[in-house]
Short mmCIF file of all heavy atoms in Angstrom, two decimals:
data_model
loop_
_atom_site.label_atom_id
_atom_site.label_comp_id
_atom_site.label_asym_id
_atom_site.label_seq_id
_atom_site.Cartn_x
_atom_site.Cartn_y
_atom_site.Cartn_z
N ARG A 28 52.90 70.84 192.76
CA ARG A 28 54.22 70.44 192.28
C ARG A 28 54.76 71.42 191.23
O ARG A 28 55.96 71.43 190.96
CB ARG A 28 54.18 69.03 191.71
CG ARG A 28 53.97 67.94 192.76
CD ARG A 28 54.40 66.59 192.24
NE ARG A 28 55.81 66.60 191.86
CZ ARG A 28 56.37 65.66 191.10
NH1 ARG A 28 55.64 64.66 190.64
NH2 ARG A 28 57.65 65.72 190.80
N LEU A 29 53.89 72.23 190.67
CA LEU A 29 54.35 73.21 189.70
C LEU A 29 55.24 74.27 190.34
O LEU A 29 55.89 75.05 189.63
CB LEU A 29 53.14 73.87 189.02
CG LEU A 29 52.34 72.96 188.09
CD1 LEU A 29 51.03 73.61 187.71
CD2 LEU A 29 53.16 72.60 186.85
N THR A 30 55.27 74.33 191.68
CA THR A 30 56.18 75.26 192.35
C THR A 30 57.60 74.70 192.43
O THR A 30 58.53 75.44 192.76
CB THR A 30 55.69 75.56 193.78
OG1 THR A 30 55.70 74.35 194.56
CG2 THR A 30 54.28 76.12 193.76
N GLU A 31 57.78 73.41 192.12
CA GLU A 31 59.09 72.79 192.25
C GLU A 31 60.07 73.25 191.18
O GLU A 31 61.25 73.46 191.43
CB GLU A 31 58.96 71.27 192.20
CG GLU A 31 58.15 70.67 193.35
CD GLU A 31 57.93 69.17 193.16
OE1 GLU A 31 58.61 68.58 192.29
OE2 GLU A 31 57.07 68.60 193.86
N LYS A 32 59.56 73.37 189.94
CA LYS A 32 60.39 73.75 188.82
C LYS A 32 59.62 74.72 187.94
O LYS A 32 58.42 74.58 187.75
CB LYS A 32 60.81 72.53 187.99
CG LYS A 32 61.69 71.54 188.71
CD LYS A 32 62.04 70.37 187.80
CE LYS A 32 62.93 69.36 188.52
NZ LYS A 32 63.25 68.21 187.63
N PRO A 33 60.30 75.71 187.39
CA PRO A 33 59.61 76.66 186.52
C PRO A 33 59.31 76.06 185.16
O PRO A 33 60.02 75.17 184.67
CB PRO A 33 60.60 77.81 186.40
CG PRO A 33 61.93 77.16 186.58
CD PRO A 33 61.72 76.06 187.57
N GLY A 34 58.23 76.54 184.54
CA GLY A 34 57.95 76.21 183.15
C GLY A 34 57.62 74.77 182.88
O GLY A 34 58.08 74.20 181.88
N ARG A 35 56.82 74.14 183.72
CA ARG A 35 56.45 72.74 183.53
C ARG A 35 54.94 72.59 183.34
O ARG A 35 54.16 73.48 183.65
CB ARG A 35 56.89 71.90 184.73
CG ARG A 35 58.39 71.88 184.98
CD ARG A 35 59.14 71.32 183.78
NE ARG A 35 60.58 71.46 183.90
CZ ARG A 35 61.42 70.42 183.94
NH1 ARG A 35 60.95 69.19 183.91
NH2 ARG A 35 62.71 70.64 184.02
N VAL A 36 54.55 71.42 182.84
CA VAL A 36 53.14 71.05 182.76
C VAL A 36 52.92 69.84 183.66
O VAL A 36 53.75 68.94 183.73
CB VAL A 36 52.72 70.70 181.30
CG1 VAL A 36 53.57 69.58 180.72
CG2 VAL A 36 51.24 70.33 181.24
N ALA A 37 51.81 69.85 184.39
CA ALA A 37 51.46 68.72 185.26
C ALA A 37 50.47 67.83 184.52
O ALA A 37 49.43 68.30 184.04
CB ALA A 37 50.85 69.22 186.56
N ILE A 38 50.82 66.54 184.43
CA ILE A 38 50.00 65.56 183.71
C ILE A 38 49.66 64.42 184.64
O ILE A 38 50.48 63.98 185.44
CB ILE A 38 50.76 65.00 182.48
CG1 ILE A 38 51.13 66.13 181.52
CG2 ILE A 38 49.94 63.95 181.76
CD1 ILE A 38 49.97 66.79 180.85
N TYR A 39 48.42 63.92 184.53
CA TYR A 39 48.00 62.81 185.38
C TYR A 39 46.86 62.04 184.71
O TYR A 39 46.04 62.63 183.99
CB TYR A 39 47.51 63.32 186.73
CG TYR A 39 46.85 62.23 187.58
CD1 TYR A 39 47.63 61.28 188.22
CD2 TYR A 39 45.46 62.15 187.68
CE1 TYR A 39 47.03 60.26 188.96
CE2 TYR A 39 44.87 61.15 188.44
CZ TYR A 39 45.65 60.21 189.07
OH TYR A 39 45.08 59.20 189.79
N GLY A 40 46.82 60.73 184.97
CA GLY A 40 45.62 59.97 184.63
C GLY A 40 45.79 58.93 183.55
O GLY A 40 46.76 58.20 183.52
N TRP A 41 44.82 58.89 182.62
CA TRP A 41 44.67 57.85 181.63
C TRP A 41 44.42 56.52 182.34
O TRP A 41 45.22 55.60 182.32
CB TRP A 41 45.89 57.77 180.72
CG TRP A 41 45.52 57.41 179.30
CD1 TRP A 41 44.29 57.20 178.81
CD2 TRP A 41 46.42 57.20 178.22
NE1 TRP A 41 44.34 56.90 177.47
CE2 TRP A 41 45.65 56.89 177.09
CE3 TRP A 41 47.80 57.24 178.08
CZ2 TRP A 41 46.21 56.63 175.84
CZ3 TRP A 41 48.36 56.98 176.84
CH2 TRP A 41 47.59 56.68 175.74
N HIS A 42 43.28 56.48 183.02
CA HIS A 42 42.93 55.34 183.86
C HIS A 42 42.62 54.09 183.02
O HIS A 42 41.94 54.16 182.01
CB HIS A 42 41.71 55.66 184.72
CG HIS A 42 41.95 56.75 185.71
ND1 HIS A 42 42.01 58.07 185.36
CD2 HIS A 42 42.12 56.70 187.07
CE1 HIS A 42 42.21 58.81 186.44
NE2 HIS A 42 42.29 58.01 187.49
N LYS A 43 43.12 52.98 183.51
CA LYS A 43 42.79 51.68 182.92
C LYS A 43 41.44 51.21 183.48
O LYS A 43 40.89 51.80 184.40
CB LYS A 43 43.89 50.68 183.23
CG LYS A 43 45.25 51.05 182.63
CD LYS A 43 46.29 49.99 182.88
CE LYS A 43 46.65 49.89 184.37
NZ LYS A 43 47.74 48.93 184.62
N LEU A 44 40.93 50.14 182.93
CA LEU A 44 39.61 49.66 183.34
C LEU A 44 39.58 49.21 184.80
O LEU A 44 38.50 49.14 185.40
CB LEU A 44 39.15 48.52 182.43
CG LEU A 44 38.86 48.92 180.97
CD1 LEU A 44 38.42 47.71 180.16
CD2 LEU A 44 37.79 50.00 180.92
N ASP A 45 40.74 48.92 185.39
CA ASP A 45 40.77 48.56 186.81
C ASP A 45 40.80 49.79 187.71
O ASP A 45 40.90 49.69 188.93
CB ASP A 45 41.96 47.65 187.12
CG ASP A 45 43.32 48.31 186.83
OD1 ASP A 45 43.34 49.52 186.49
OD2 ASP A 45 44.35 47.62 186.93
N GLY A 46 40.74 51.00 187.09
CA GLY A 46 40.70 52.24 187.86
C GLY A 46 42.06 52.83 188.17
O GLY A 46 42.14 53.92 188.74
N LYS A 47 43.14 52.13 187.83
CA LYS A 47 44.48 52.63 188.11
C LYS A 47 44.96 53.52 186.96
O LYS A 47 44.77 53.20 185.79
CB LYS A 47 45.45 51.47 188.32
CG LYS A 47 45.12 50.63 189.55
CD LYS A 47 46.13 49.50 189.73
CE LYS A 47 45.79 48.67 190.96
NZ LYS A 47 46.76 47.54 191.13
N ALA A 48 45.61 54.61 187.32
CA ALA A 48 46.09 55.55 186.31
C ALA A 48 47.42 55.08 185.73
O ALA A 48 48.33 54.68 186.47
CB ALA A 48 46.26 56.94 186.92
N ILE A 49 47.53 55.10 184.40
CA ILE A 49 48.80 54.79 183.75
C ILE A 49 49.85 55.84 184.10
O ILE A 49 50.99 55.52 184.42
CB ILE A 49 48.61 54.74 182.21
CG1 ILE A 49 47.76 53.53 181.81
CG2 ILE A 49 49.97 54.70 181.50
CD1 ILE A 49 47.49 53.46 180.31
N GLN A 50 49.41 57.10 184.07
CA GLN A 50 50.33 58.20 184.32
C GLN A 50 50.14 58.75 185.73
O GLN A 50 49.13 59.37 186.03
CB GLN A 50 50.11 59.32 183.31
CG GLN A 50 50.99 60.53 183.50
CD GLN A 50 52.45 60.19 183.32
OE1 GLN A 50 52.89 59.90 182.21
NE2 GLN A 50 53.21 60.21 184.40
N LEU A 51 51.11 58.52 186.60
CA LEU A 51 51.08 59.16 187.90
C LEU A 51 51.38 60.65 187.71
O LEU A 51 51.93 61.05 186.69
CB LEU A 51 52.09 58.51 188.84
CG LEU A 51 51.88 57.01 189.11
CD1 LEU A 51 52.95 56.50 190.07
CD2 LEU A 51 50.50 56.74 189.66
N LEU A 52 51.03 61.45 188.69
CA LEU A 52 51.24 62.89 188.57
C LEU A 52 52.72 63.18 188.28
O LEU A 52 53.60 62.76 189.03
CB LEU A 52 50.82 63.59 189.86
CG LEU A 52 50.97 65.11 189.87
CD1 LEU A 52 50.05 65.75 188.84
CD2 LEU A 52 50.65 65.66 191.25
N THR A 53 52.97 63.93 187.21
CA THR A 53 54.34 64.22 186.83
C THR A 53 54.46 65.64 186.31
O THR A 53 53.51 66.18 185.73
CB THR A 53 54.83 63.25 185.73
OG1 THR A 53 56.19 63.58 185.38
CG2 THR A 53 53.98 63.34 184.48
N ILE A 54 55.62 66.23 186.51
CA ILE A 54 55.94 67.52 185.92
C ILE A 54 57.24 67.41 185.12
O ILE A 54 57.98 68.36 184.95
CB ILE A 54 56.07 68.62 186.99
CG1 ILE A 54 57.16 68.26 188.02
CG2 ILE A 54 54.73 68.89 187.67
CD1 ILE A 54 57.55 69.43 188.92
N VAL A 55 57.50 66.21 184.58
CA VAL A 55 58.76 65.95 183.89
C VAL A 55 58.86 66.76 182.59
O VAL A 55 59.96 67.11 182.17
CB VAL A 55 58.92 64.44 183.60
CG1 VAL A 55 57.88 63.95 182.60
CG2 VAL A 55 60.33 64.13 183.11
N HIS A 56 57.72 67.07 181.97
CA HIS A 56 57.75 67.77 180.69
C HIS A 56 57.70 69.28 180.86
O HIS A 56 57.04 69.79 181.77
CB HIS A 56 56.57 67.33 179.82
CG HIS A 56 56.63 65.90 179.39
ND1 HIS A 56 57.66 65.40 178.63
CD2 HIS A 56 55.77 64.86 179.60
CE1 HIS A 56 57.45 64.11 178.41
NE2 HIS A 56 56.31 63.76 178.99
N GLY A 57 58.35 69.97 179.94
CA GLY A 57 58.27 71.42 179.90
C GLY A 57 56.88 71.87 179.46
O GLY A 57 56.11 71.10 178.88
N GLU A 58 56.59 73.12 179.70
CA GLU A 58 55.24 73.64 179.45
C GLU A 58 54.85 73.66 177.97
O GLU A 58 53.67 73.77 177.64
CB GLU A 58 55.11 75.05 180.01
CG GLU A 58 56.05 76.04 179.35
CD GLU A 58 56.05 77.40 180.02
OE1 GLU A 58 55.39 77.56 181.05
OE2 GLU A 58 56.70 78.31 179.50
N THR A 59 55.83 73.56 177.07
CA THR A 59 55.50 73.54 175.65
C THR A 59 55.43 72.13 175.08
O THR A 59 55.25 71.96 173.87
CB THR A 59 56.53 74.35 174.85
OG1 THR A 59 57.84 73.81 175.06
CG2 THR A 59 56.51 75.82 175.27
N TYR A 60 55.55 71.12 175.94
CA TYR A 60 55.45 69.74 175.44
C TYR A 60 53.98 69.34 175.33
O TYR A 60 53.21 69.46 176.30
CB TYR A 60 56.18 68.77 176.36
CG TYR A 60 56.05 67.33 175.89
CD1 TYR A 60 56.86 66.84 174.89
CD2 TYR A 60 55.09 66.48 176.44
CE1 TYR A 60 56.74 65.53 174.43
CE2 TYR A 60 54.95 65.17 176.00
CZ TYR A 60 55.78 64.71 174.99
OH TYR A 60 55.64 63.42 174.54
N VAL A 61 53.60 68.85 174.17
CA VAL A 61 52.23 68.38 173.94
C VAL A 61 52.31 67.10 173.11
O VAL A 61 52.98 67.07 172.07
CB VAL A 61 51.39 69.41 173.16
CG1 VAL A 61 49.96 68.92 173.00
CG2 VAL A 61 51.41 70.76 173.85
N ASP A 62 51.64 66.05 173.56
CA ASP A 62 51.54 64.87 172.70
C ASP A 62 50.10 64.38 172.62
O ASP A 62 49.20 64.92 173.27
CB ASP A 62 52.52 63.77 173.14
CG ASP A 62 52.12 63.03 174.42
OD1 ASP A 62 50.91 62.87 174.68
OD2 ASP A 62 53.03 62.60 175.15
N TYR A 63 49.89 63.37 171.79
CA TYR A 63 48.55 62.87 171.46
C TYR A 63 47.74 62.44 172.68
O TYR A 63 46.51 62.44 172.66
CB TYR A 63 48.68 61.68 170.50
CG TYR A 63 49.09 60.41 171.22
CD1 TYR A 63 48.15 59.48 171.62
CD2 TYR A 63 50.42 60.18 171.56
CE1 TYR A 63 48.52 58.34 172.33
CE2 TYR A 63 50.80 59.06 172.26
CZ TYR A 63 49.84 58.14 172.63
OH TYR A 63 50.19 57.02 173.35
N SER A 64 48.43 62.04 173.76
CA SER A 64 47.73 61.46 174.92
C SER A 64 47.17 62.51 175.86
O SER A 64 46.39 62.19 176.76
CB SER A 64 48.67 60.55 175.70
OG SER A 64 49.72 61.29 176.32
N HIS A 65 47.54 63.78 175.67
CA HIS A 65 47.10 64.84 176.58
C HIS A 65 45.68 65.29 176.26
O HIS A 65 45.30 65.41 175.09
CB HIS A 65 48.03 66.06 176.49
CG HIS A 65 49.42 65.78 176.92
ND1 HIS A 65 50.37 66.77 177.03
CD2 HIS A 65 50.05 64.63 177.28
CE1 HIS A 65 51.52 66.22 177.44
NE2 HIS A 65 51.34 64.93 177.58
N GLY A 66 44.91 65.56 177.28
CA GLY A 66 43.56 66.08 177.10
C GLY A 66 43.27 67.17 178.13
O GLY A 66 43.85 67.20 179.21
N VAL A 67 42.36 68.07 177.76
CA VAL A 67 41.96 69.15 178.66
C VAL A 67 40.46 69.04 178.91
O VAL A 67 39.65 69.25 178.01
CB VAL A 67 42.30 70.53 178.07
CG1 VAL A 67 41.73 71.64 178.96
CG2 VAL A 67 43.80 70.69 177.91
N ARG A 68 40.11 68.64 180.13
CA ARG A 68 38.70 68.58 180.52
C ARG A 68 38.46 69.72 181.52
O ARG A 68 39.01 69.71 182.63
CB ARG A 68 38.36 67.25 181.18
CG ARG A 68 36.84 67.09 181.42
CD ARG A 68 36.57 65.97 182.41
NE ARG A 68 37.09 64.70 182.01
CZ ARG A 68 36.43 63.78 181.28
NH1 ARG A 68 35.20 64.03 180.88
NH2 ARG A 68 37.01 62.62 180.98
N LEU A 69 37.67 70.69 181.14
CA LEU A 69 37.44 71.85 181.98
C LEU A 69 36.32 71.60 182.98
O LEU A 69 35.39 70.84 182.73
CB LEU A 69 37.09 73.06 181.12
CG LEU A 69 38.15 73.49 180.11
CD1 LEU A 69 37.67 74.72 179.33
CD2 LEU A 69 39.48 73.79 180.80
N MET A 70 36.45 72.27 184.13
CA MET A 70 35.39 72.27 185.13
C MET A 70 34.93 73.70 185.35
O MET A 70 35.69 74.65 185.16
CB MET A 70 35.89 71.67 186.45
CG MET A 70 36.99 72.44 187.13
SD MET A 70 37.63 71.63 188.64
CE MET A 70 36.18 71.62 189.69
N LYS A 71 33.68 73.88 185.73
CA LYS A 71 33.17 75.22 185.96
C LYS A 71 33.83 75.84 187.18
O LYS A 71 34.11 75.16 188.17
CB LYS A 71 31.65 75.19 186.14
CG LYS A 71 30.89 74.95 184.84
CD LYS A 71 29.39 75.15 185.03
CE LYS A 71 28.65 74.98 183.71
NZ LYS A 71 27.19 75.18 183.87
N ARG A 72 34.05 77.16 187.12
CA ARG A 72 34.70 77.87 188.23
C ARG A 72 33.83 77.86 189.48
O ARG A 72 34.34 77.82 190.61
CB ARG A 72 34.97 79.33 187.83
CG ARG A 72 36.23 79.55 187.04
CD ARG A 72 37.47 79.46 187.89
NE ARG A 72 37.60 80.48 188.88
CZ ARG A 72 38.34 81.56 188.75
NH1 ARG A 72 39.00 81.78 187.62
NH2 ARG A 72 38.45 82.46 189.72
#
């Protein structure tokens, strides 16, 4: 979805205990938007 609009960040998740994500995949925010709820979990290449 990052190909849809330039300069965006893709955010997803924050799962509740029932396994459902509060945040569906979104690119509504610009790439410089950061708030307290964002996290970066890295995976090995």
Side-chain angles (χ1 to χ4, degrees):
R28 290 199 60 196
L29 291 168
T30 63
E31 296 174 13
K32 295 180 180 179
R35 299 300 172 118
V36 57
I38 300 293
Y39 171 76
W41 215 2
H42 295 75
K43 297 184 292 184
L44 293 179
D45 61 6
K47 296 180 180 179
I49 291 178
Q50 179 63 69
L51 300 181
L52 181 64
T53 180
I54 59 167
V55 67
H56 294 299
E58 62 187 5
T59 59
Y60 178 81
V61 183
D62 73 33
Y63 77 96
S64 67
H65 296 187
V67 174
R68 188 196 302 269
L69 300 180
M70 64 184 297
K71 287 189 177 181
R72 277 285 294 262

